[in-house]
Amino acid sequence: MHIINDFFLLIWGERLNQEVVFDEKHTTEFDQYRLTSFDNFCDSVAILLIISPQNFANMAILEEPKTVLNTFFQHVIFNKENIQYAQSQLLGYFIVLGNLQVNHAITKRLELLKKEGIISYDAVRSLGSIISLIEEKKIEVTSLHVKSATTQENYYKTELNLLLTAIENLNQAVETPRLQERLHVIPERLENQRFSIGITGVMNAGKSTMLNALLGQEVLGTSVVPETANLTLIKYAKNPYAVVNFWNAKEWSKIEEGAKSLKSLEAFVKESKAHFGETFHTLVTPQGESETIAVNDLALYTSAKHSEKKCNLVKSVELYTDLKFVQDGVQIVDTPGLDDPVVQREEITLEYLSECDLMIHLMNAAQAATQKDVDFIIDALLYRNVAQLLIVITRIDTIAEKELQEVIAYTKRSIEARLNEQNKGAKLDEVIAKIVFIPIAGKLALMHKLGQEKEALALGYDMNRTGLPLVESYLEEVLFGANSQKANLIISANRKEIESIITESMSAFEQELHYLSISTEEIEQAYAKHQEEKAVMANFLEQIKTSVAQSKEEMEHYFGTLQKFASNQLDKLQNVVKRRITDDVSYEFSKNKKAPKEERIGSMIETAIKDGMVDLVRDYRYEFQKKMQSSLEYMDAKYGEFKTESTAPMFDAKAFCEEHLGSLLIFKNSTVVIAAANDAIKKYGKNDLSALSMNLETIFATEFSHIKEMLEEKLHKINHELLSSFVSLCEAPARSIEERFGAEGALIARAMHQMKDQTLNREARSMEIKEKERVMGIVLNDLNAQKESK
């Protein structure tokens, strides 16, 4: 070490007797002293370095140089040999350290000693020249590679790739275990997102043909499923298979009950019972049976024409396929025809469709806009929360262009007429605005997909003319486009979670950097203060826990009150429907001497029940929202001064209710009750209104008992979810406070450990933190740019 040799030549005028070697054992002691008390360390070093032959005798009689020597080297005698050893080890440490901040601080102290007349100008110049030779040591910190996202697909896939790239970059930067766990669950959550498409239409509307064309394979074609008679859910799996679900005993009993009023259903039940005989109860069981089968065997279970008739007992099918169209989280709900004689299938269909992100209704161009079509369209848009409806007019290759335009115009006129009949003409614009019409030639599109394009072209249809590309583009935009509400919600929610993780991580890093720069005493003071605050907070959190338990108990009691309210509303609705029918029958017989038309009675019953249920759900939501708002405001106030900007956002009871009560819809087919009511009118309407009233009372009591049962079952499930979410909302600020205190405590504990860690290089750790902060800054900028580009 030539710098040390130069020091002794300049200051002592001699070389050391042996080669100078820095003893690494001194590193930890010097580091600890420097890092815990920087100023005292530099003062002490300056005192030892200025000792020379010229002032040795004077320094030897002072206490301070002896104290410093003992502090650094423990119980060493103040003599020339020990002083030279101390000076050589300190200089060796500074060379290894290579910290210009330390070098400048010592030089500054030498200047002050010169001003005080303790050392001469020549001594300062000599020492300064030696110290200036010590070069800054660059701490090597591995630079973290930041990956860029380059995917340019549809909006959703592009944004999804940006989020996944952000997570990949953050995996190398986030250190806190709790935040790492939050980060790691995001990809799985994104992977499990599903976009559902509901396919509806009367029988022979061309549903299977269009689906085959979309899937690019004849999965639902005549070679596999000659006639789909059941609800089919099409999902993705690498290895294709199918799951068949049979009716359970309770569901079948409702089918049998409906058969008492409907001839078509009566024939269906008789055929099923006769065909299966004693084996019937092996498939229709109390708990409900399911079978996993090969896709090639699907026709045995779903074909209405198959001799085994198993389709009669099948409630639904789950078809898992490896086809590309369903790879990106898309699942398809393929429904049986709307004119299915088993009316219970419609209830199941509507339940599934209510959760779909898009509904596609198919109409045969030659038989478009039947009353069943029009009623279903109106029902979907007015009562079933369907935000967007695509009407696909199929088999356009069988009609002329002029006829096609007339089909669309006729459909709109039929919708308007039906709305007027139901006194809902004012809703026309609202309904029409949600409908998009696309005509297709499904069979010809399928030929193109199956490699039979020559035959399709010979008939005058290239792929564009078949209309299928328009359907595909529409689906792509509605499901994955920049204006897709669901796609935006998914991206926005997960982006906010990533931003929150970055913010908390950077806050933790800044806190650690602070602790790395202060002394042990200051860290111990911070720890003591944190423990005091923690004790106060523990008491507060216990109070909050008690308040949450009380609020939960109140909410559970209130659910009982709300269920009684719903039951009373249904009783009132039952009486309203009965009165409307009896009044209308009385009026028609007294004025026109004949019974009302069956269609009119059906429309009155169906509309009254649907409107009544809409009112009930609206009132239920309103009453619950009032209670929720009150309870949440009470809990919000309880947190008081403990709430900070980092805790949970302000409670929004309205948004909460929309989210959790949005599925509070009852899907009940009215075909059976309408048939029974019309039979009673035929029998008693003309001569005995009293008997008619009694019969209608019985009919509607049975119908509304089923509705109550369905509502209670749904409310039980929804109320459980509501209560769980309510408790989670109330506890969220407490969890946030607890997590914040836990994180702060962990940081202080880590800082205390670092103080005792003799091997820790603080400069290296600081640079490592800053490198990780750099990565987080880049990711945060990318996320902000992502938001701004939207």
Side-chain angles (χ1 to χ4, degrees):
M1 291 188 176
H2 68 278
I3 292 175
I4 299 176
N5 289 324
D6 290 347
F7 170 84
F8 284 103
L9 285 172
L10 277 173
I11 303 303
W12 291 87
E14 61 185 55
R15 290 182 180 274
L16 287 180
N17 294 330
Q18 57 186 17
E19 185 67 25
V20 179
V21 177
F22 172 62
D23 191 340
E24 295 287 344
K25 74 178 183 181
H26 295 310
T27 301
T28 54
E29 288 90 345
F30 292 166
D31 276 343
Q32 186 173 3
Y33 193 12
R34 174 176 61 84
L35 293 170
T36 56
S37 186
F38 183 80
D39 288 338
N40 288 339
F41 173 79
C42 293
D43 290 344
S44 299
V45 169
I47 288 171
L48 287 180
L49 288 183
I50 65 172
I51 298 175
S52 65
Q54 289 76 25
N55 61 20
F56 186 87
N58 292 332
M59 297 291 274
I61 60 176
L62 296 175
E63 285 301 319
E64 191 166 0
K66 295 177 183 177
T67 301
V68 170
L69 187 64
N70 284 328
T71 298
F72 280 145
F73 299 98
Q74 290 80 43
H75 309 297
V76 177
I77 298 172
F78 191 93
N79 56 33
K80 176 182 176 183
E81 182 181 1
N82 287 338
I83 290 297
Q84 288 186 334
Y85 175 80
Q87 290 174 333
S88 68
Q89 293 304 302
L90 284 171
L91 289 170
Y93 171 67
F94 294 145
I95 293 168
V96 172
L97 183 66
N99 188 318
L100 291 186
Q101 180 188 7
V102 175
N103 298 347
H104 292 157
I106 293 171
T107 302
K108 185 177 179 181
R109 282 161 173 75
L110 295 176
E111 293 288 341
L112 290 173
L113 290 172
K114 185 194 73 173
K115 287 182 180 180
E116 295 292 329
I118 296 175
I119 58 174
S120 66
Y121 172 80
D122 289 340
V124 170
R125 188 179 64 178
S126 298
L127 285 170
S129 65
I130 294 296
I131 292 172
S132 67
L133 294 174
I134 299 174
E135 297 179 355
E136 181 181 10
K137 184 71 61 76
K138 297 289 184 182
I139 299 174
E140 293 296 328
V141 176
T142 303
S143 180
L144 301 178
H145 174 66
V146 183
K147 181 180 176 182
S148 298
T150 56
T151 304
Q152 291 296 325
E153 297 185 67
N154 60 41
Y155 162 77
Y156 180 71
K157 289 182 183 177
T158 299
E159 299 297 293
L160 198 63
N161 187 57
L162 286 170
L163 293 184
L164 293 174
T165 302
I167 292 167
E168 187 178 340
N169 288 326
L170 291 174
N171 279 332
Q172 60 185 335
V174 174
E175 291 186 352
T176 307
R178 176 176 58 85
L179 299 179
Q180 286 177 336
E181 186 178 344
R182 282 172 57 186
L183 190 67
H184 292 162
V185 300
I186 297 175
E188 182 180 355
R189 186 165 61 236
L190 290 170
E191 175 69 23
N192 291 333
Q193 292 296 332
R194 292 291 176 264
F195 294 83
S196 295
I197 303 171
I199 312 293
T200 63
V202 299
M203 288 186 180
N204 298 316
K207 298 190 299 295
S208 295
T209 303
M210 187 195 73
L211 274 173
N212 287 331
L214 284 174
L215 294 169
Q217 187 173 324
E218 205 165 2
V219 175
L220 298 173
T222 54
S223 63
V224 178
V225 187
E227 183 180 332
T228 305
N230 311 95
L231 181 82
T232 303
L233 279 75
I234 306 172
K235 305 176 183 180
Y236 178 78
K238 187 175 181 181
N239 300 308
Y241 66 98
V243 176
V244 177
N245 305 305
F246 295 94
W247 299 105
N248 63 38
K250 184 178 180 180
E251 291 163 339
W252 185 263
S253 68
K254 290 183 179 179
I255 293 175
E256 290 192 354
E257 187 177 324
K260 296 174 184 177
S261 301
L262 294 177
K263 295 295 183 183
S264 58
L265 200 53
E266 181 183 9
F268 173 82
V269 170
K270 283 183 179 179
E271 176 190 66
S272 302
K273 285 292 191 75
H275 182 83
F276 288 97
E278 294 181 1
T279 64
F280 176 85
H281 293 292
T282 64
L283 295 174
V284 179
T285 63
Q287 71 275 12
E289 297 296 317
S290 294
E291 287 186 28
T292 300
I293 61 171
V295 174
N296 290 337
D297 294 333
L298 205 51
L300 300 176
Y301 294 82
T302 61
S303 169
K305 296 178 180 178
H306 202 281
S307 60
E308 290 191 15
K309 292 293 180 183
K310 282 188 178 179
C311 72
N312 288 21
L313 307 186
V314 173
K315 177 173 68 174
S316 63
V317 172
E318 297 167 46
L319 172 60
Y320 294 86
T321 172
D322 60 350
L323 297 177
K324 184 175 182 235
F325 189 81
V326 289
Q327 277 186 355
D328 299 318
V330 174
Q331 68 176 26
I332 298 169
V333 182
D334 181 25
T335 68
L338 299 181
D339 39 2
D340 192 315
V342 185
V343 295
Q344 282 72 18
R345 283 189 184 134
E346 184 179 344
E347 293 171 7
I348 298 170
T349 295
L350 289 171
E351 186 74 44
Y352 275 105
L353 290 178
S354 70
E355 299 175 4
C356 284
D357 302 297
L358 170 66
M359 195 168 89
I360 304 177
H361 186 73
L362 281 74
M363 296 193 306
N364 187 330
Q367 305 166 351
T370 65
Q371 183 172 315
K372 194 74 176 177
D373 285 315
V374 173
D375 285 346
F376 185 81
I377 290 167
I378 292 172
D379 182 73
L381 297 178
L382 288 186
Y383 298 105
R384 308 301 177 192
N385 286 348
V386 174
Q388 193 73 45
L389 173 65
L390 172 63
I391 294 182
V392 174
I393 300 173
T394 63
R395 302 178 186 173
I396 59 170
D397 49 312
T398 64
I399 63 171
E401 175 66 27
K402 184 178 178 181
E403 292 177 281
L404 175 60
Q405 296 307 315
E406 178 54 33
V407 167
I408 296 173
Y410 175 70
T411 302
K412 292 181 179 179
R413 289 198 303 271
S414 299
I415 291 171
E416 181 177 12
R418 196 62 171 158
L419 286 171
N420 287 329
E421 285 178 25
Q422 299 177 6
N423 297 316
K424 291 183 170 59
K427 299 274 190 178
L428 176 65
D429 290 342
E430 174 189 335
V431 170
I432 296 298
K434 294 179 179 179
I435 301 175
V436 173
F437 291 87
I438 297 180
I440 70 165
K443 185 176 180 181
L444 295 166
L446 179 59
M447 290 170 69
H448 278 279
K449 290 290 185 80
L450 297 179
Q452 301 168 13
E453 59 273 4
K454 288 184 179 179
E455 292 91 327
L457 290 170
L459 295 170
Y461 280 82
D462 60 13
M463 179 56 93
N464 285 333
R465 193 182 173 194
T466 67
L468 188 70
L470 286 176
V471 174
E472 292 173 330
S473 297
Y474 177 85
L475 296 180
E476 182 87 1
E477 182 57 32
V478 170
L479 295 178
F480 304 117
N483 295 319
S484 166
Q485 185 178 12
K486 182 170 184 177
N488 275 300
L489 282 174
I490 293 169
I491 296 300
S492 176
N494 287 283
R495 184 198 297 125
K496 285 179 181 177
E497 172 69 350
I498 293 172
E499 289 171 347
S500 172
I501 291 168
I502 292 174
T503 301
E504 289 190 45
S505 290
M506 294 185 81
S507 175
F509 279 146
E510 287 303 308
Q511 195 70 20
E512 185 180 350
L513 286 173
H514 169 69
Y515 288 135
L516 283 170
S517 68
I518 62 177
S519 67
T520 302
E521 292 81 2
E522 290 172 308
I523 292 175
E524 289 173 346
Q525 289 171 7
Y527 179 76
K529 182 181 178 183
H530 179 269
Q531 290 300 103
E532 291 175 7
E533 292 176 347
K534 186 178 178 180
V536 174
M537 189 54 59
N539 182 54
F540 164 70
L541 292 176
E542 192 59 37
Q543 294 175 29
I544 289 297
K545 185 178 178 180
T546 302
S547 296
V548 171
Q550 291 172 348
S551 294
K552 178 183 178 182
E553 187 177 344
E554 287 179 12
M555 192 61 72
E556 284 177 322
H557 177 74
Y558 190 68
F559 283 143
T561 302
L562 278 180
Q563 285 187 300
K564 288 179 182 176
F565 162 79
S567 180
N568 291 336
Q569 291 293 92
L570 285 177
D571 289 339
K572 291 177 183 178
L573 178 59
Q574 177 184 328
N575 291 328
V576 167
V577 177
K578 190 196 80 168
R579 188 178 65 250
R580 286 183 184 176
I581 299 302
T582 53
D583 287 350
D584 194 69
V585 171
S586 176
Y587 175 81
E588 284 294 325
F589 273 111
S590 64
K591 184 177 181 181
N592 300 318
K593 310 302 180 186
K594 62 180 181 180
K597 290 182 178 180
E598 291 187 2
E599 292 81 2
R600 174 176 170 79
I601 295 298
S603 179
M604 288 177 65
I605 293 173
E606 200 163 53
T607 302
I609 292 177
K610 286 176 181 176
D611 286 345
M613 289 304 300
V614 167
D615 292 341
L616 186 153
V617 170
R618 184 193 62 230
D619 293 343
Y620 188 96
R621 289 183 183 182
Y622 175 71
E623 294 298 327
F624 180 83
Q625 186 175 320
K626 282 197 306 182
K627 179 64 177 176
M628 172 68 74
Q629 185 69 47
S630 172
S631 297
L632 291 180
E633 285 175 356
Y634 166 76
M635 289 303 304
D636 201 28
K638 288 286 287 184
Y639 283 99
E641 62 185 284
F642 294 98
K643 290 202 70 180
T644 69
E645 292 180 2
S646 64
T647 63
M650 289 185 65
F651 299 126
D652 186 342
K654 183 177 180 182
F656 179 90
C657 292
E658 284 297 318
E659 177 186 354
H660 292 278
L661 293 172
S663 60
L664 184 53
L665 296 169
I666 302 300
F667 304 101
K668 184 73 176 70
N669 186 291
S670 301
T671 306
V672 173
V673 71
I674 290 170
N678 277 314
D679 286 344
I681 291 169
K682 289 176 187 176
K683 189 172 182 180
Y684 302 107
K686 185 175 181 180
N687 301 314
D688 194 345
L689 287 176
S690 176
L692 173 63
S693 179
M694 291 175 62
N695 268 266
L696 290 177
E697 179 76 34
T698 302
I699 291 167
F700 290 132
T702 302
E703 177 72 0
F704 276 85
S705 70
H706 291 324
I707 293 176
K708 278 187 180 181
E709 184 182 341
M710 294 173 72
L711 182 61
E712 286 174 6
E713 186 178 333
K714 194 144 196 173
L715 284 177
H716 178 75
K717 180 182 177 183
I718 287 176
N719 288 346
H720 177 75
E721 293 174 356
L722 283 168
L723 189 63
S724 175
S725 297
F726 168 74
V727 171
S728 181
L729 270 175
C730 290
E731 291 177 341
R735 285 196 303 273
S736 179
I737 292 168
E738 200 166 18
E739 286 176 359
R740 177 162 54 85
F741 266 79
E744 289 175 0
L747 279 171
I748 296 174
R750 179 174 181 171
M752 294 181 74
H753 174 74
Q754 287 173 334
M755 280 295 180
K756 297 174 184 178
D757 184 0
Q758 306 299 325
T759 63
L760 177 70
N761 186 320
R762 292 193 162 203
E763 282 77 15
R765 175 58 184 161
S766 296
M767 292 187 70
E768 181 185 14
I769 289 173
K770 288 174 183 176
E771 174 63 13
K772 293 187 174 185
E773 285 184 323
R774 180 186 72 84
V775 173
M776 291 183 180
I778 293 172
V779 173
L780 200 56
N781 286 336
D782 287 345
L783 292 175
N784 288 331
Q786 179 184 8
K787 280 191 291 188
E788 291 170 5
S789 65
K790 175 67 176 69

